């Protein structure tokens, strides 16, 4: 978070950038920001399926996270999702 805020300051756009971090609470972590809408949202959840064993549960969790993140977008906004799970 601090790195992104410093990057915004260096690029003279800090007043236009809001960095929020949702940790460890899954899709429920987005509920406190639900009235806020963003132009760009990046989502980088932890690897939820490091092996094929938990694949179905991980897919449900990723779906919920992506839906929650997408709900915070303005119309026409951009959602960037990074998936680090090896099995997906």
């Amino acid at each position: 978070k601090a790195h992104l805020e410093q990057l915004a300051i260096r690029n003279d756009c800090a007043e236009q950038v809001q960095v929020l971090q949702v940790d460890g609470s899954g899709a429920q972590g987005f509920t406190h920001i639900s009235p806020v809408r963003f132009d760009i949202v990046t989502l980088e959840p932890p690897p939820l399926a490091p092996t094929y064993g938990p694949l179905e549960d991980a897919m449900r969790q990723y779906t919920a996270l992506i839906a929650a993140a997408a709900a915070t977008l303005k119309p026409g906004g951009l959602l960037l999702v990074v998936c680090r799970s090896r099995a997906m």
Side-chain angles (χ1 to χ4, degrees):
K1 180 179 176 180
H3 177 72
L4 293 174
E5 291 168 339
Q6 289 298 319
L7 188 61
I9 291 168
R10 279 191 300 214
N11 286 287
D12 200 29
C13 63
E15 65 281 347
Q16 300 169 336
V17 174
Q18 182 178 8
V19 179
L20 300 173
Q21 187 171 345
V22 178
D23 287 323
S25 52
Q28 295 81 17
F30 288 90
T31 57
H32 74 284
I33 58 172
S34 60
V36 181
R37 297 288 178 250
F38 299 96
D39 296 311
I40 302 171
V41 173
T42 60
L43 179 64
E44 187 179 350
L48 299 174
T51 65
Y52 286 99
L55 187 58
E56 285 187 35
D57 184 48
M59 290 177 74
R60 279 191 291 277
Q61 290 181 58
Y62 277 123
T63 300
L65 284 168
I66 291 169
T72 66
L73 285 171
K74 290 180 180 177
L78 176 66
L79 175 60
L80 173 65
V81 180
V82 177
C83 178
R84 297 181 292 144
S85 290
R86 295 172 60 186
M88 296 186 80

